[in-house]
Amino acid sequence: MKRFSILRLTLKLIFVVLILLLVVGPFVGIVLWSFARIWYWPSPIPQEFTLRYWSEVFRQGRVLNSLTLSLRIALITVVFSISIAIPAAYAFARYKLPAERILLFLFLMPQAFPQLPVFINLARVFGRIGLRGNMWGIVLAHTMASLVFSLWIITATFKSIPLDLEQAAQNLGASRFKVFWTITFPLGIPGIIAGAIHVFLWSMGEFNAAFFIGAPFIQTAPVLMYTASAGYNMQIASVIAIILMVPSLLFMLIIEKFLKAEYIAGIGG
């Protein structure tokens, strides 16, 4: 019995170590590459360290411009996506819509198929109407693809709000519009914030649309990171990757605070 317990403990430790290697290992490698001046195989750590590449990233106008552009695209995408998702989510949460499942499927379609062919075809369409090679084409593509995130999160949030509160306000003479802005919307703010953060993080790290629709004139941070890594400049690519991870880590803490279990209980309901 004791041997069996020791074996179970050993297997658990091995499992935990493997998970840590899979999850933490790539991040450790990125951090080491960002400080590596010389790193030859089979050494597990760089032979020489330097801060040169960090200073280059913040000194080069191209890198800062790409990061600023990615931030601008992500913020505009959040505004567009949330503006569309709020009324649509309220309709899905409070009304019995005709062909509701078909409508939900239409919102899901951009994420239901592999992203590469979707954005390649979208780039062809945008090229004909003058939206290829500029920021607004990427914003529209990101809005279309991110609607599924904001819509489902906000719909679940509105479904979690007791309908009795709205009915009580209506019985006291409040219009449906006033009920929404004074009761439903304030109570749904945590879910709306969580949806906005999810859209922001997805847009900041999105590559395919930015590459195929923005090329050759628009270069976001993920595209610049890909270009640097393809040119075997792993140090610059690693620094950009770490910078892009910072808002993700910060916003994940915010999501944990705002997106409670009751807000996702309505998904699929």
Side-chain angles (χ1 to χ4, degrees):
M1 191 68 179
K2 188 175 180 180
R3 288 183 178 180
F4 182 72
S5 299
I6 294 174
L7 180 61
R8 284 182 57 188
L9 179 60
T10 303
L11 291 175
K12 286 182 180 179
L13 289 174
I14 293 174
F15 181 74
V16 170
V17 170
L18 288 175
I19 293 297
L20 288 175
L21 288 175
L22 290 173
V23 175
V24 182
F27 177 73
V28 172
I30 290 173
V31 173
L32 289 176
W33 265 117
S34 69
F35 294 102
R37 184 176 181 274
I38 298 176
W39 193 358
Y40 294 120
W41 176 263
S43 174
I45 60 173
Q47 283 83 8
E48 291 187 25
F49 291 88
T50 181
L51 292 173
R52 168 191 165 190
Y53 301 102
W54 281 89
S55 62
E56 279 189 14
V57 163
F58 289 102
R59 189 172 62 248
Q60 289 181 8
R62 184 181 63 163
V63 177
L64 289 178
N65 289 340
S66 295
L67 290 168
T68 303
L69 178 62
S70 292
L71 179 62
R72 190 184 314 139
I73 289 173
L75 290 174
I76 297 174
T77 299
V78 166
V79 173
F80 284 5
S81 181
I82 297 301
S83 298
I84 297 171
I86 288 176
Y90 185 77
F92 281 122
R94 289 293 185 255
Y95 299 101
K96 289 294 182 181
L97 301 176
E100 180 177 338
R101 292 186 180 276
I102 296 176
L103 290 173
L104 282 172
F105 178 74
L106 290 176
F107 278 105
L108 183 63
M109 280 187 66
Q111 293 292 335
F113 297 99
Q115 296 291 288
L116 192 59
V118 170
F119 288 131
I120 289 176
N121 282 282
L122 198 59
R124 294 178 60 188
V125 174
F126 281 5
R128 294 173 184 171
I129 59 177
L131 286 174
R132 186 173 183 181
N134 63 67
M135 183 188 75
W136 293 107
I138 301 176
V139 168
L140 289 178
H142 281 192
T143 301
M144 293 170 58
S146 64
L147 265 177
V148 63
F149 306 130
S150 54
L151 179 65
W152 280 69
I153 292 174
I154 298 174
T155 299
T157 302
F158 287 158
K159 283 186 176 182
S160 71
I161 298 172
L163 185 58
D164 295 344
L165 296 176
E166 296 181 7
Q167 292 174 339
Q170 286 179 316
N171 291 335
L172 293 174
S175 65
R176 188 174 292 274
F177 181 79
K178 188 174 182 179
V179 169
F180 174 79
W181 283 111
T182 58
I183 296 177
T184 312
F185 182 78
L187 291 175
I189 285 177
I192 294 171
I193 291 175
I197 291 173
H198 201 118
V199 171
F200 177 84
L201 295 178
W202 180 86
S203 180
M204 279 289 291
E206 201 283 326
F207 168 77
N208 289 324
F211 182 79
F212 289 104
I213 296 175
F217 305 109
I218 302 297
Q219 191 173 57
T220 62
V223 174
L224 181 61
M225 182 173 61
Y226 168 79
T227 304
S229 60
Y232 296 99
N233 195 340
M234 290 299 298
Q235 290 89 341
I236 296 294
S238 298
V239 173
I240 297 173
I242 292 172
I243 294 173
L244 287 174
M245 288 176 65
V246 171
S248 299
L249 295 175
L250 293 177
F251 285 139
M252 284 303 295
L253 297 176
I254 299 176
I255 289 177
E256 185 180 0
K257 178 180 179 180
F258 282 104
L259 192 59
K260 305 298 183 182
E262 57 266 27
Y263 298 137
I264 61 175
I267 293 180

